[in-house]
Structure formats: C-alpha cells, structure tokens
Amino acid sequence: MKVLVTGVAGFIGSHLAERLLREGFQVIGVDSFLDYYSRKIKENNLKGLVNKNGFSFIEGSIFELDLMGILKRVDTVFHQAAIPGVRASWGKEFYRYIENNILATQVLLESCKDVKINKFIYASSSSVYGDADALPIKETTNTQPVSPYGVSKLAGEHLATLYFKGYGIPTVSLRYFTVYGPRQRPDMGFHKFISAILLGKEIEIYGSGDQTRDFTFIDDVVEANLQAFVKGKGGEIYNVGGGSRISLTETIKIIEEIAGRKANLKYTEAQKGDAKHTYADISKARRDFSYNPKVDIYEGLKRHYDWLKENLDIYR
Ligand code: NAD
Ligand code: UGA
C-alpha cells in the first residue's frame, strides 16, 4: 500500500510517516519547508525517514508539484500540510493561511477527483470551534472560530466535505486538539515551557493560566490517523482529543515536578485568537474506529520533557 503524507517535515507529518513505514506502507512525503519555523528543525524531523526503505521525499509546495504524477502512485492521502500558528494568523499574515490552508487543500482535492483515492484524511483542528458554548465539545457543536487560522482550517474542512459530496472522494476530517510530545513545534506552549525550565528562563503565560486544553499526545493522534484510514467514514468529521482537560497552571506544576525545579512565571496579556477552553467529546471516533487515547498528561509530558532535554540544541 502506497500513501502520500503532505507536510511530512512537520511535527505531526513526520511522526505519522515514521509509523506508516513501520506498519509496512510505502510513503511518499512532500513538504515545502515553509519558513513558519526553521528549515534546520524540519530537516531534523526528517532524520528518521530519509534513506529508509519505502520512503521517498519530494521537496516542494503543493502548488508546484506534479500532483497527478504523485497521486497516480498512491491509494491514500494524509493531508497534514498547513501553516499552523493560531496567534500569528492576524493581519497581513492571513494571506499565507489562505494560500497554504485553503487554496492548497482545494488544489489537492481537485487533483484527487481524477484519480482513484481510497481515503483522504484531512488534518483539521479544534480551533474551528472557538469558544464553544458547552463542554465537552461534540462534532455537532457550532463552529465559531476565534482566530483567522481557525477560519482557514474550517474552510479546508468544508472543502474536504464538499469534494466527498460532489465527487465521492472519501474524505475524513480529524479535528486534533492541541498536540504535544517529541518534536512539537517551537512556537507551541509545552515546547516553550519545557525549554524555559531547562534553560532557567522565564515562562510566559498568556492570561491567567486558568485556560484549559484537551492536550493530545502525538502517538494518539498518529493512531487515530491509522484507525480512520481503515474505518473512518467518508464525508465525516471526528474529534481527536486526549481524553481529559487540564489548566495551564496545572500543567506547569507537572513540568516543575518532572524537572525537579520551580518555574519562573511571567504573566502577560491573554492573546487574541486563543480559545479559553477546549475539551473533546471523542465518543464518535470511539464508536466508528475504536479511538482510545492511551497517553495521559503526566506520562506525555515526561516523554516530551525527556526528549527535549536530549535535543535542545536543535532549537538553539
Ligand atoms: P508543522 O508546521 O510542524 O507541519 C506542517 C508542515 O506542512 C510544515 O513542515 C510545512 O513546511 C508544510 N507545508 C505547509 N504548507 C505547505 C504547502 N503548501 N506545500 C507543502 N508543504 C507545506 O505543523 P503541525 O503542528 O505538524 O501540524 C500539522 C497539521 O495538523 C496542520 O494541518 C495543522 O493545522 C494541524 N493541527 C495541528 C495541531 C497541533 O497541535 N500541532 C492541532 C490541530 C491541528
Ligand atoms: C495548538 C496548535 O498550535 C494549533 O496548530 C492547533 O490547530 C490547535 O492547537 C488546535 O487544537 O486545533 P494551541 O492550543 O494554542 O494551538 O496550543 P499551544 O500553543 O500549545 O498553546 C496552549 C495554551 O498555552 C494556550 O492557551 C496558549 O495561550 C498558552 N501559551 C502558549 C502560553 O501561555 N504561553 C506561550 O508561550 C505559549
């Protein structure tokens, strides 16, 4: 079985491709090395993939690749490519979100209608919900993003569903909830908190710290992709959360415990675009493809901490 992973040099795409290779898939990975964060970090993400049997890498943007040539060679698409920052999506930057999150998704789907694709998995996002009216959040909850990024991910998701309805491409959208673990992007909370405590620097908390997230460990997200590949229903949308929610303040306490030292906290203004709380109802994914997140926040943060401690140089 041959599959395409877009955004393969990214945090999630690289883990997903490694797992697919371990499962015996042949993987074509594409990535444009978007400069949202450094190429050096992305090249490091690819280290477990390059020169591995069954893996081939094509550098380039979805817009400039020979998509038909690639798609004719694969059965399944795992579309992870995007510009992922929530708080950075305001102002002039938004054109890059339109391009890489909306337009690139449409271009890819458009090419898929002329070939036989068994499953198209779209990496969607909890950011489509914004400040949900009630918790836990079901897939039927109103989507009212509070960031331009969320708007772009929701548009991509709508396109995926449209191409299912219009052309029968079996698209499945997975709404990931704040993913963490080894190789987490350098702009994300846990990466910054753990780096800061390791280097004895200040941790900047946006707002009061009482915001909550349903943090999801990377291995659980990868597992959800594999399960959805087999059993996810075409045209459907699924929440992929970690199974519980926790406040930022509580996560700092866990990191302090793991590190064996106190964090130096600096509270700054809450950021525009951040949802206050997220918490996924995962019963639909559980029902349709037996999704069952296995890594709790303590174990996940310990694994993230241990990895970053050994690999801090990559980010300096
Ligand atoms: P990432 O930035 O680490 O990876 C995305 C990769 O896509 C990057 O390497 C980038 O260079 C590549 N890319 C972007 N535009 C491209 C294009 N036009 N052509 C080819 N490659 C392109 O981000 P991530 O955290 O791994 O996120 C992966 C996906 O999951 C994204 O779609 C993101 O929106 C979604 N998501 C992430 C999280 C999270 O917590 N990390 C949560 C919800 C959803
Ligand atoms: C994450 C990803 O970055 C998005 O790509 C993804 O789409 C989104 O999850 C999702 O679930 O859909 P976010 O929840 O903002 O977005 O993840 P973090 O950057 O790890 O932030 C988590 C919390 O920590 C937020 O409340 C944020 O305000 C806070 N934070 C982050 C700080 O207080 N300080 C920081 O330096 C960074």
Side-chain angles (χ1 to χ4, degrees):
M1 188 79 86
K2 209 163 194 172
V3 302
L4 168 65
V5 177
T6 70
V8 74
F11 163 44
I12 297 173
S14 60
H15 279 280
L16 175 60
E18 283 177 8
R19 171 75 191 278
L20 287 163
L21 277 187
R22 283 203 299 278
E23 297 290 331
F25 290 84
Q26 291 194 294
V27 179
I28 300 178
V30 305
D31 203 290
S32 61
F33 292 106
L34 207 71
D35 64 359
Y36 178 71
Y37 61 94
S38 90
R39 180 175 180 122
K40 182 181 129 198
I41 296 171
K42 292 184 183 183
E43 280 175 348
N44 187 74
N45 289 344
L46 285 176
K47 272 198 175 146
L49 291 164
V50 283
N51 300 326
K52 284 272 154 66
N53 266 345
F55 181 72
S56 51
F57 178 64
I58 306 172
E59 178 174 347
S61 170
I62 284 168
F63 302 108
E64 60 198 28
L65 297 171
D66 168 19
L67 283 182
M68 287 311 292
I70 295 171
L71 290 168
K72 275 185 192 150
R73 292 158 57 203
V74 302
D75 308 290
T76 299
V77 177
F78 293 92
H79 180 38
Q80 309 297 309
I83 178 161
V86 178
R87 295 170 285 279
S89 61
W90 298 98
K92 281 190 186 152
E93 273 302 292
F94 188 58
Y95 85 89
R96 303 220 293 166
Y97 288 73
I98 295 173
E99 191 176 291
N100 294 291
N101 298 0
I102 305 177
L103 207 52
T105 301
Q106 187 266 351
V107 165
L108 193 57
L109 286 163
E110 191 64 24
S111 301
C112 285
K113 72 185 178 32
D114 300 322
V115 290
K116 173 99 184 73
I117 291 295
N118 292 329
K119 204 64 71 73
F120 183 110
I121 314 257
Y122 171 72
S124 189
S125 152
S126 77
S127 66
V128 303
Y129 294 116
D131 288 318
D133 299 331
L135 299 174
I137 308 171
K138 287 181 182 301
E139 289 83 353
T140 48
T141 299
N142 273 347
T143 47
Q144 41 194 10
V146 291
S147 65
Y149 164 77
V151 171
S152 73
K153 293 301 290 184
L154 183 57
E157 193 186 277
H158 282 316
L159 284 164
T161 311
L162 266 184
Y163 276 78
F164 169 72
K165 289 190 177 144
Y167 293 99
I169 301 168
T171 58
V172 176
S173 293
L174 302 180
R175 290 177 176 165
Y176 308 155
F177 282 64
T178 316
V179 190
Y180 72 106
R183 306 207 290 264
Q184 191 191 46
R185 296 189 334 255
D187 61 304
M188 291 186 67
F190 288 166
H191 175 92
K192 292 167 79 181
F193 303 162
I194 294 171
S195 304
I197 208 162
L198 283 167
L199 296 167
K201 292 188 173 164
E202 264 178 355
I203 289 179
E204 187 178 0
I205 303 281
Y206 303 140
S208 61
D210 66 357
Q211 62 265 50
T212 60
R213 285 286 178 279
D214 186 338
F215 292 101
T216 313
F217 193 70
I218 182 66
D219 292 5
D220 288 322
V221 170
V222 167
E223 184 65 27
N225 272 272
L226 270 95
Q227 291 167 334
F229 158 76
V230 182
K231 287 193 171 163
K233 294 189 179 152
E236 293 294 328
I237 292 163
Y238 298 94
N239 285 341
V240 172
S244 60
R245 79 179 166 125
I246 185 167
S247 73
L248 225 51
T249 302
E250 287 171 281
T251 64
I252 299 285
K253 285 191 193 134
I254 297 175
I255 293 171
E256 286 178 329
E257 198 183 320
I258 292 168
R261 68 181 83 145
K262 274 283 186 214
N264 183 5
L265 302 180
K266 177 178 145 196
Y267 290 87
T268 58
E269 246 181 84
Q271 300 281 301
K272 272 199 171 43
D274 275 343
K276 182 83 181 165
H277 303 291
T278 69
Y279 180 25
D281 181 327
I282 52 171
S283 50
K284 185 174 172 186
R286 208 188 284 280
R287 183 195 70 205
D288 281 6
F289 48 82
S290 312
Y291 174 64
N292 182 26
K294 293 200 169 58
V295 182
D296 67 28
I297 188 75
Y298 191 90
E299 185 195 337
L301 276 173
K302 173 91 175 84
R303 284 165 66 177
H304 193 160
Y305 178 91
D306 289 346
W307 182 86
L308 194 49
K309 192 173 175 202
E310 291 303 310
N311 292 277
L312 207 50
D313 279 351
I314 298 163
Y315 298 90
R316 301 172 80 182

